[in-house]
Amino acid sequence: MQLTELSAWQLGDLIRKKEIRALDAAEAVVAEIKTKNEKLNAFLSYDEAVIRSQAEGVQEKLDAGQVLSPLAGVPMAVKDNISTRLYPTTCASDMLQGYLPPYDATVIENLQQAGAVITGKTNMDEFAMGCSTETSFRGPALNPWNQGHTPGGSSGGSAAAVAAGLSWYALGSDTGGSIRQPSAYCNLTGLKPSYGLVSRYGLIAYASSLDQIGPMARSARDCAAVMDCITSQDSKDSTSSDHSTAFKASCYEATTGFNISLKGRKIALPEQALAQVDPAVRRAVSETAAVFKDLGADIVPFDLPYQDASVPVYYLIACAEASGNLARYDGVQYGRQPDNGHEMDLTAFYEHNRSAGFGKEVKRRLMLGTFVLSSGYYDAWYLKALKMRRMIIDSYNEMMRGIDAVLMPVTPSAAPPLYQHEDDPLARYISDTFTVDANLTGRPAIAFPCGINAGGLPVGAQLTGHLLADDILLGLVHAYQTQTSHHEKRPSSARKGEPA
Ligand code: GLN
């Protein structure tokens, strides 16, 4: 049996039943990371000794009879914008090289209590701004399905790590699609939870009203098990929801039994979204609708509200919030400093630190964000974007009455070649067309594999649901995954022991 081919849930089961030891799983994953990471660039940091000592600690607790969680002892990876005391947290930026947080994010505390073994921190776009990991200070991660292509972004390192068998699941963050888009590009299931369900404490902020942490894994069942571990009401995050206890109860059922009936469920399919995408994506998503129909769901028509406005509204709001959030990287509170800082006046000091520390895309967004918040332009841009956001939220509330979920593509195409749109930011932003609405409305959305295109690259579908009904989305995708095997396909580079 090859451990790296199991799902997180299956591996956790073997560890719980003492059929294998947590250290065996840790050794298997260390061997894979050592053979493949240099090429794939999925991890920015990992440490064999730290991985082994966590596994030993978990095993001791299990041997002492402690009940931890279904995922105890299962090695997992964390995106590099989630604060950890075990490893540096750099947001893939020169600005934060070497920064070791003095505290753990709430999700990390929750995972450690659940017996997680953290393998390392994964590559990403700088400060989570991007859709390819190309803006990472340490260079892009590669897609294990085809190394000439992007694994997606911004949580691309997490996706590459799980797809290539370098971890059984990973945490990502999703501000406008960064969990779902790389999951789709790498044949994974990834959930952007409802806003407030998972604590953001310790997540380095990009755009606080849109950011959420969530799971990326090989199935909906694995995602449910991860959600069961990371969800909690947290007094350190003022937007944290009190729904977490109820949610965890249904998630636990989800990971143990999980039988949601699709009879009478209504799944909406917006034809206008299908008209805008590659034929292979259109075909795969239409076939997904047919599977849901066979399972007993009614497929009903739907018009995505204000679709042309979504991407501009998202970028205006995200950049405006980022310009405030990233003001703290000035070389005094956080961030790099020059050796000769004492010779500069304060303005020159800030200017030097921020010019040298941030990459091109981050600077572009901070300038846009500062501009739309400045007096004289605020009403015309930022305020208008806020009003449009309200209209998008209201339309979804109205149109989703009586509908359980909206089915659509995750992206217009499968993973593009690396650096395809290097000099054309607008072309890159357009690929977020189908993902940003979930963040603007706070709704949960899940990406899941639904086929492989003629070029051998995975294609994903997406379901968007009702606020705090994330368990329904997990249940619907689990039902789909019991009927199909797309999610079980692995890239050939994931074979054990072979270099990537
Ligand atoms: N691609 C989007 C952006 O560049 C989404 C990023 C994210 O979700 N972190 O902003």
Short mmCIF file of all heavy atoms in Angstrom, two decimals, residues 79 127-131 153-155 173-181 206 211 314-315 318 361 365 428-429 431-432 435-436 439, ligand 1:
data_model
loop_
_atom_site.label_atom_id
_atom_site.label_comp_id
_atom_site.label_asym_id
_atom_site.label_seq_id
_atom_site.Cartn_x
_atom_site.Cartn_y
_atom_site.Cartn_z
N LYS A 79 -0.50 27.48 4.00
CA LYS A 79 -0.11 28.61 3.14
C LYS A 79 0.71 29.61 3.96
O LYS A 79 0.45 29.82 5.15
CB LYS A 79 -1.39 29.26 2.60
CG LYS A 79 -1.16 30.34 1.55
CD LYS A 79 -2.49 30.86 1.02
CE LYS A 79 -2.33 31.94 -0.02
NZ LYS A 79 -3.63 32.43 -0.54
N PHE A 127 1.71 38.32 -0.88
CA PHE A 127 0.58 38.83 -0.10
C PHE A 127 -0.78 38.37 -0.66
O PHE A 127 -1.78 39.06 -0.53
CB PHE A 127 0.62 40.36 0.05
CG PHE A 127 1.63 40.80 1.07
CD1 PHE A 127 2.87 41.28 0.68
CD2 PHE A 127 1.36 40.72 2.43
CE1 PHE A 127 3.82 41.65 1.63
CE2 PHE A 127 2.30 41.09 3.38
CZ PHE A 127 3.53 41.56 2.99
N ALA A 128 -0.79 37.22 -1.31
CA ALA A 128 -2.01 36.59 -1.84
C ALA A 128 -2.62 37.37 -3.00
O ALA A 128 -3.79 37.23 -3.31
CB ALA A 128 -3.05 36.34 -0.75
N MET A 129 -1.79 38.23 -3.63
CA MET A 129 -2.30 39.04 -4.75
C MET A 129 -1.87 38.39 -6.06
O MET A 129 -0.73 38.59 -6.51
CB MET A 129 -1.75 40.46 -4.66
CG MET A 129 -2.21 41.17 -3.41
SD MET A 129 -1.49 42.80 -3.31
CE MET A 129 -2.06 43.30 -1.69
N GLY A 130 -2.77 37.62 -6.66
CA GLY A 130 -2.44 37.00 -7.93
C GLY A 130 -3.20 35.71 -8.13
O GLY A 130 -4.01 35.32 -7.28
N CYS A 131 -2.94 35.07 -9.26
CA CYS A 131 -3.70 33.86 -9.57
C CYS A 131 -2.80 32.80 -10.18
O CYS A 131 -3.24 31.98 -10.97
CB CYS A 131 -4.87 34.19 -10.49
SG CYS A 131 -4.40 35.21 -11.88
N GLY A 153 -3.35 30.24 -8.29
CA GLY A 153 -2.93 31.06 -7.15
C GLY A 153 -4.13 31.74 -6.52
O GLY A 153 -5.24 31.60 -7.03
N SER A 154 -4.00 32.38 -5.42
CA SER A 154 -2.68 32.56 -4.86
C SER A 154 -2.20 31.36 -4.03
O SER A 154 -1.02 31.24 -3.76
CB SER A 154 -2.65 33.81 -3.98
OG SER A 154 -3.61 33.71 -2.96
N SER A 155 -3.11 30.42 -3.66
CA SER A 155 -2.68 29.29 -2.83
C SER A 155 -2.11 28.15 -3.69
O SER A 155 -2.42 26.98 -3.48
CB SER A 155 -3.86 28.75 -2.00
OG SER A 155 -4.63 29.79 -1.45
N SER A 173 -5.93 30.35 1.58
CA SER A 173 -6.81 31.48 1.91
C SER A 173 -7.44 31.94 0.60
O SER A 173 -6.84 31.77 -0.46
CB SER A 173 -6.05 32.61 2.58
OG SER A 173 -5.21 33.25 1.64
N ASP A 174 -8.64 32.49 0.71
CA ASP A 174 -9.42 32.82 -0.48
C ASP A 174 -10.03 34.21 -0.29
O ASP A 174 -10.89 34.40 0.56
CB ASP A 174 -10.52 31.75 -0.65
CG ASP A 174 -11.22 31.80 -1.99
OD1 ASP A 174 -11.64 32.90 -2.39
OD2 ASP A 174 -11.38 30.74 -2.64
N THR A 175 -9.53 35.17 -1.07
CA THR A 175 -10.03 36.54 -1.01
C THR A 175 -10.91 36.82 -2.22
O THR A 175 -11.88 37.57 -2.15
CB THR A 175 -8.83 37.52 -0.96
OG1 THR A 175 -8.01 37.15 0.14
CG2 THR A 175 -9.27 38.97 -0.82
N GLY A 176 -10.54 36.17 -3.35
CA GLY A 176 -11.33 36.32 -4.57
C GLY A 176 -11.31 35.04 -5.40
O GLY A 176 -11.62 35.07 -6.59
N GLY A 177 -10.88 33.93 -4.78
CA GLY A 177 -10.86 32.66 -5.52
C GLY A 177 -9.62 31.83 -5.25
O GLY A 177 -9.43 30.76 -5.86
N SER A 178 -8.76 32.27 -4.35
CA SER A 178 -7.43 31.66 -4.21
C SER A 178 -7.38 30.27 -3.61
O SER A 178 -6.32 29.65 -3.60
CB SER A 178 -6.52 32.57 -3.41
OG SER A 178 -6.10 33.62 -4.21
N ILE A 179 -8.49 29.76 -3.10
CA ILE A 179 -8.54 28.33 -2.74
C ILE A 179 -9.11 27.56 -3.93
O ILE A 179 -8.61 26.50 -4.32
CB ILE A 179 -9.43 28.11 -1.50
CG1 ILE A 179 -8.70 28.60 -0.25
CG2 ILE A 179 -9.85 26.65 -1.36
CD1 ILE A 179 -9.52 28.51 1.04
N ARG A 180 -10.17 28.12 -4.52
CA ARG A 180 -10.93 27.36 -5.53
C ARG A 180 -10.20 27.27 -6.86
O ARG A 180 -10.19 26.21 -7.50
CB ARG A 180 -12.30 28.03 -5.71
CG ARG A 180 -13.18 27.83 -4.48
CD ARG A 180 -14.32 28.83 -4.46
NE ARG A 180 -13.87 30.16 -4.10
CZ ARG A 180 -14.45 31.29 -4.44
NH1 ARG A 180 -15.54 31.26 -5.20
NH2 ARG A 180 -13.98 32.46 -4.04
N GLN A 181 -9.57 28.36 -7.29
CA GLN A 181 -8.93 28.34 -8.60
C GLN A 181 -7.74 27.37 -8.64
O GLN A 181 -7.67 26.51 -9.52
CB GLN A 181 -8.58 29.78 -8.99
CG GLN A 181 -8.01 29.95 -10.36
CD GLN A 181 -6.55 30.32 -10.24
OE1 GLN A 181 -5.85 29.83 -9.36
NE2 GLN A 181 -6.09 31.18 -11.13
N TYR A 206 -5.08 40.55 3.61
CA TYR A 206 -5.01 41.17 2.28
C TYR A 206 -6.20 42.13 2.20
O TYR A 206 -6.03 43.34 2.25
CB TYR A 206 -5.02 40.06 1.23
CG TYR A 206 -5.36 40.43 -0.20
CD1 TYR A 206 -5.38 41.74 -0.64
CD2 TYR A 206 -5.64 39.42 -1.13
CE1 TYR A 206 -5.69 42.05 -1.97
CE2 TYR A 206 -5.95 39.72 -2.45
CZ TYR A 206 -5.98 41.03 -2.86
OH TYR A 206 -6.31 41.33 -4.17
N ASP A 211 -11.39 38.08 2.94
CA ASP A 211 -10.48 36.96 3.23
C ASP A 211 -11.18 35.84 4.02
O ASP A 211 -11.89 36.11 4.98
CB ASP A 211 -9.31 37.43 4.13
CG ASP A 211 -8.40 38.48 3.52
OD1 ASP A 211 -8.36 38.61 2.30
OD2 ASP A 211 -7.69 39.16 4.31
N TYR A 314 -14.78 43.90 -7.20
CA TYR A 314 -13.86 43.14 -6.34
C TYR A 314 -12.49 43.83 -6.28
O TYR A 314 -11.94 44.04 -5.20
CB TYR A 314 -13.70 41.70 -6.87
CG TYR A 314 -12.49 41.01 -6.29
CD1 TYR A 314 -12.51 40.54 -4.98
CD2 TYR A 314 -11.30 40.91 -7.01
CE1 TYR A 314 -11.37 39.94 -4.41
CE2 TYR A 314 -10.17 40.32 -6.46
CZ TYR A 314 -10.21 39.85 -5.16
OH TYR A 314 -9.09 39.29 -4.60
N TYR A 315 -11.92 44.19 -7.44
CA TYR A 315 -10.57 44.76 -7.42
C TYR A 315 -10.54 46.12 -6.74
O TYR A 315 -9.57 46.46 -6.05
CB TYR A 315 -9.95 44.79 -8.83
CG TYR A 315 -9.31 43.45 -9.11
CD1 TYR A 315 -9.99 42.42 -9.75
CD2 TYR A 315 -8.03 43.16 -8.63
CE1 TYR A 315 -9.42 41.17 -9.95
CE2 TYR A 315 -7.45 41.91 -8.81
CZ TYR A 315 -8.14 40.93 -9.47
OH TYR A 315 -7.56 39.69 -9.63
N ALA A 318 -10.88 45.21 -2.94
CA ALA A 318 -9.71 44.46 -2.44
C ALA A 318 -8.49 45.38 -2.37
O ALA A 318 -7.76 45.38 -1.36
CB ALA A 318 -9.43 43.26 -3.34
N GLU A 361 3.49 43.74 -8.55
CA GLU A 361 2.02 43.60 -8.49
C GLU A 361 1.47 44.20 -7.20
O GLU A 361 0.43 44.87 -7.20
CB GLU A 361 1.63 42.12 -8.61
CG GLU A 361 0.12 41.85 -8.61
CD GLU A 361 -0.62 42.46 -9.80
OE1 GLU A 361 0.02 42.73 -10.83
OE2 GLU A 361 -1.85 42.68 -9.68
N ARG A 365 -1.21 47.40 -6.87
CA ARG A 365 -2.49 47.36 -6.16
C ARG A 365 -2.55 48.39 -5.04
O ARG A 365 -3.60 48.97 -4.76
CB ARG A 365 -2.74 45.96 -5.62
CG ARG A 365 -2.91 44.96 -6.76
CD ARG A 365 -3.34 43.63 -6.26
NE ARG A 365 -3.33 42.65 -7.33
CZ ARG A 365 -4.07 41.56 -7.33
NH1 ARG A 365 -4.87 41.31 -6.33
NH2 ARG A 365 -3.99 40.70 -8.33
N ARG A 428 -5.28 38.88 -16.56
CA ARG A 428 -5.20 37.98 -15.40
C ARG A 428 -6.44 38.15 -14.51
O ARG A 428 -7.03 37.19 -14.04
CB ARG A 428 -3.95 38.28 -14.56
CG ARG A 428 -2.66 37.87 -15.22
CD ARG A 428 -1.57 37.73 -14.17
NE ARG A 428 -1.33 38.95 -13.41
CZ ARG A 428 -0.43 39.89 -13.74
NH1 ARG A 428 0.30 39.73 -14.81
NH2 ARG A 428 -0.27 40.96 -13.01
N TYR A 429 -6.83 39.41 -14.30
CA TYR A 429 -7.94 39.67 -13.38
C TYR A 429 -9.24 39.03 -13.88
O TYR A 429 -10.08 38.61 -13.09
CB TYR A 429 -8.15 41.18 -13.16
CG TYR A 429 -6.96 41.92 -12.58
CD1 TYR A 429 -6.92 43.32 -12.56
CD2 TYR A 429 -5.86 41.23 -12.05
CE1 TYR A 429 -5.83 44.01 -12.03
CE2 TYR A 429 -4.76 41.92 -11.53
CZ TYR A 429 -4.75 43.30 -11.52
OH TYR A 429 -3.67 43.98 -11.01
N SER A 431 -9.73 36.26 -15.16
CA SER A 431 -9.90 34.83 -14.84
C SER A 431 -10.60 34.64 -13.49
O SER A 431 -10.97 33.53 -13.12
CB SER A 431 -8.55 34.10 -14.88
OG SER A 431 -7.78 34.49 -13.77
N ASP A 432 -10.82 35.72 -12.74
CA ASP A 432 -11.52 35.63 -11.45
C ASP A 432 -13.03 35.80 -11.59
O ASP A 432 -13.75 35.86 -10.59
CB ASP A 432 -11.01 36.70 -10.48
CG ASP A 432 -9.52 36.58 -10.19
OD1 ASP A 432 -9.02 35.45 -10.20
OD2 ASP A 432 -8.88 37.62 -9.97
N THR A 435 -15.28 33.49 -9.51
CA THR A 435 -14.96 33.20 -8.10
C THR A 435 -15.23 34.37 -7.15
O THR A 435 -15.50 34.14 -5.97
CB THR A 435 -13.49 32.75 -7.94
OG1 THR A 435 -12.65 33.68 -8.63
CG2 THR A 435 -13.27 31.35 -8.47
N VAL A 436 -15.18 35.60 -7.65
CA VAL A 436 -15.21 36.74 -6.71
C VAL A 436 -16.58 36.94 -6.05
O VAL A 436 -16.65 37.47 -4.94
CB VAL A 436 -14.76 38.06 -7.38
CG1 VAL A 436 -13.29 38.00 -7.76
CG2 VAL A 436 -15.61 38.40 -8.59
N ASN A 439 -16.93 35.81 -2.48
CA ASN A 439 -16.27 36.65 -1.47
C ASN A 439 -17.02 37.95 -1.27
O ASN A 439 -17.17 38.42 -0.13
CB ASN A 439 -14.83 36.94 -1.91
CG ASN A 439 -14.05 35.67 -2.19
OD1 ASN A 439 -14.22 35.05 -3.24
ND2 ASN A 439 -13.23 35.25 -1.24
N1 GLN B 1 -6.86 36.39 -8.00
C1 GLN B 1 -7.44 37.25 -7.03
C2 GLN B 1 -6.52 38.41 -6.73
O1 GLN B 1 -5.51 38.45 -7.32
C3 GLN B 1 -7.78 36.48 -5.79
C4 GLN B 1 -6.67 36.37 -4.82
C5 GLN B 1 -7.04 35.68 -3.53
O2 GLN B 1 -8.13 35.10 -3.41
N2 GLN B 1 -6.18 35.81 -2.56
O3 GLN B 1 -6.79 39.25 -5.95
#
